[in-house]
Amino acid sequence: MISLFDMFKIGIGPSSSHTMGPMVAAGKFIDELLQQYDLSDIERIQVDLYGSLASTGKGHATDTACILGLLGFKADKIDTNKVDEYLAPVLNEQLLNFAGKQVISFNYDTDIVWHPQTTLPHHPNGLSFTAYIEGEIALEKNYYSIGGGFVATEDEYSSEDTQSSSEADSVAITSDSNVPYPFQNGNELLAQCKKHNLSISDVMMANELSLRDEATIYQYLDEVWEVMQQCVKNGCKGEGILPGGLKVKRRAKDMYRQLLDELESPKKSADKLMAMDWVDLFALAVNEENANGGRVVTAPTNGAAGIIPAVLHYYRDFLPHYKQQGVREFLLTAAAIGTIIKQNASISGAEVGCQGEVGSACAMAAAGLAHVMGLTPSQCTNAAEIGIEHNLGLTCDPIGGLVQVPCIERNAMGAVKAINAARLASRGDGEHHVPLDKAIATMKATGADMMDKYKETAMGGLAVHAYNPEQHADGSRIDVVEIGVGYPQC
Ligand code: SF4
């Protein structure tokens, strides 16, 4: 079983693989180190970034994520407004308060070593931490940031049995499989619902209860929703240019003002599609926050983090009968669909292109919305299937390797599509010509056929045809085309 705690993780932007994962890895290194040594013995720490983490690490704040992790901060708890303050002693005075307890010298220029043309053996997103005592290596550990904020250690990666990041994910997600209503695919999920007269949300909740108590689960779901709402609020206040060198202007704040003004205009407010403008705004706000390094919920990844919050805000603001319990059930239903996709295809753009990220988030949101609209389990899976079906073949082609263009707008499109998928499903009886499992299998096969340049390598599509090297004059990114390799970004 994959838990909803695995599907929705509170973290930091802009990238689950390039920012969250390295920060998590630093925390793991601290834990391992402190099992063997006293903190006061540690004299020096070196960080080595390999492959993609080196080639696009500056644009994705991989370097500062590692430093923050070494300072002892956790991705889900750090105050993202104070990041500059936390980094200042390290960058200005070369002093790093290791694990928040022991000040050591740390030179950003020499203690972070970039290896853009070298990859560690198991995955393009590799990094290592080395601790020195009395000039000698005390501990050196490799980690792999395998997407969605998951991190695998060298030991967890067996070169014989782990060939892909999705298999590595299953190394990282080991939950108790002794659940009351096990399901591996959409068919089995619907069979459990039918046999026990349960909703998808009920099935997921019952399974979660085999891992944690009800209060913990609800507390987490409420926290996830709170972070999503705060993220939209923050996104509607942010202005200026997004970091990374692409010079993308933030739009959500202006759009928010426009929409508020239009509420006062009888003609504009009579526009029956105005809700869609608000959905666009919610998604843009989240993904601009993500691109700016703000607090987001991976849902199921950072790149696709705007779709589920946008559709939940639509539920809150435009549908009748909004209630907190509805949000919980929405998220449980969405998580159930996400686990099925993850187990049978992928939620990683590096493996199957953007259909695995935006397509998966769209399907998850569609099913969640269908549930709170009062639809049956089979109508919910129909909504999910529609959400996937009409994202099949969607390539990943982020310009400049940054999770900005087309990613930010693509989340708005995915959110609107999810709403339409739920509405389409509501007009049917749940019977669908293409079952959910067939759509997921098609996603996997399409991803396997997709050329690598369309899988988070920033080497194809818009990333090539709309890429202007002059926009990267600040040197925030080493050109992946130039070095002849491409790697996952979000
Ligand atoms: S285009 Fe690529 S980087 Fe952007 S959201 Fe889709 S999968 Fe992520």
Side-chain angles (χ1 to χ4, degrees), residues 303-304 349 354 357-358 395-398 403 406-407 410 456 490:
C354 198
E357 301 216 3
V358 163
T395 61
C396 168
D397 52 356
V403 193
C407 321
R410 191 166 283 174
E456 286 195 348
C490 80

Side-chain angles (χ1 to χ4, degrees), residues 287 301-304 348-350 353-358 394-398 401-408 410-411 455-456 489-490:
N287 286 82
T301 62
N302 279 31
S348 162
C354 198
Q355 57 174 351
E357 301 216 3
V358 163
L394 190 64
T395 61
C396 168
D397 52 356
L402 296 162
V403 193
Q404 297 180 8
V405 184
C407 321
I408 295 171
R410 191 166 283 174
N411 274 256
K455 293 194 239 182
E456 286 195 348
Q489 315 304 323
C490 80

Side-chain angles (χ1 to χ4, degrees), residues 129-149:
F129 294 93
T130 309
Y132 291 86
I133 297 176
E134 295 179 354
E136 301 289 328
I137 292 177
L139 185 69
E140 182 177 14
K141 284 279 174 186
N142 291 348
Y143 298 93
Y144 298 93
S145 178
I146 56 180

Side-chain angles (χ1 to χ4, degrees), residues 186 189-194 197-203 333 337 367 370-371 374-384 425 429-432 436:
L189 173 61
L190 282 181
Q192 293 284 18
C193 292
K194 192 171 175 190
N197 194 25
L198 296 171
S199 67
I200 293 174
S201 161
D202 293 334
V203 167
T333 307
I337 299 301
H371 173 77
L375 305 191
T376 64
S378 58
Q379 286 174 308
C380 291
T381 57
N382 189 193
D429 60 6
E431 285 295 314
H432 25 307
L436 175 61

Side-chain angles (χ1 to χ4, degrees), residues 230-290:
Q230 190 59 49
C231 186
V232 168
K233 280 185 199 155
N234 293 344
C236 288
K237 286 186 212 149
E239 54 192 347
I241 303 294
L242 292 170
L246 207 52
K247 303 184 179 72
V248 173
K249 186 175 180 297
R250 297 183 71 147
R251 288 182 286 170
K253 184 176 178 182
D254 286 347
M255 193 170 166
Y256 180 51
R257 280 205 199 110
Q258 281 172 21
L259 290 176
L260 286 179
D261 289 346
E262 288 172 12
L263 286 177
E264 307 296 321
S265 154
K267 194 174 164 195
K268 286 278 189 185
S269 58
D271 178 355
K272 292 198 166 47
L273 288 181
M274 206 167 171
M276 293 299 104
D277 293 341
W278 282 93
V279 171
D280 287 341
L281 168 69
F282 300 141
L284 293 187
V286 171
N287 286 82
E288 287 179 0
E289 268 303 283
N290 178 60

Side-chain angles (χ1 to χ4, degrees), residues 141-183:
K141 284 279 174 186
N142 291 348
Y143 298 93
Y144 298 93
S145 178
I146 56 180
F150 294 109
V151 170
T153 63
E154 191 77 38
D155 296 340
E156 288 166 333
Y157 249 113
S158 148
S159 57
E160 282 183 10
D161 61 21
T162 306
Q163 300 298 324
S164 72
S165 60
S166 64
E167 288 171 57
D169 277 6
S170 62
V171 172
I173 307 166
T174 44
S175 301
D176 186 354
S177 59
N178 187 21
V179 295
Y181 307 116
F183 61 89

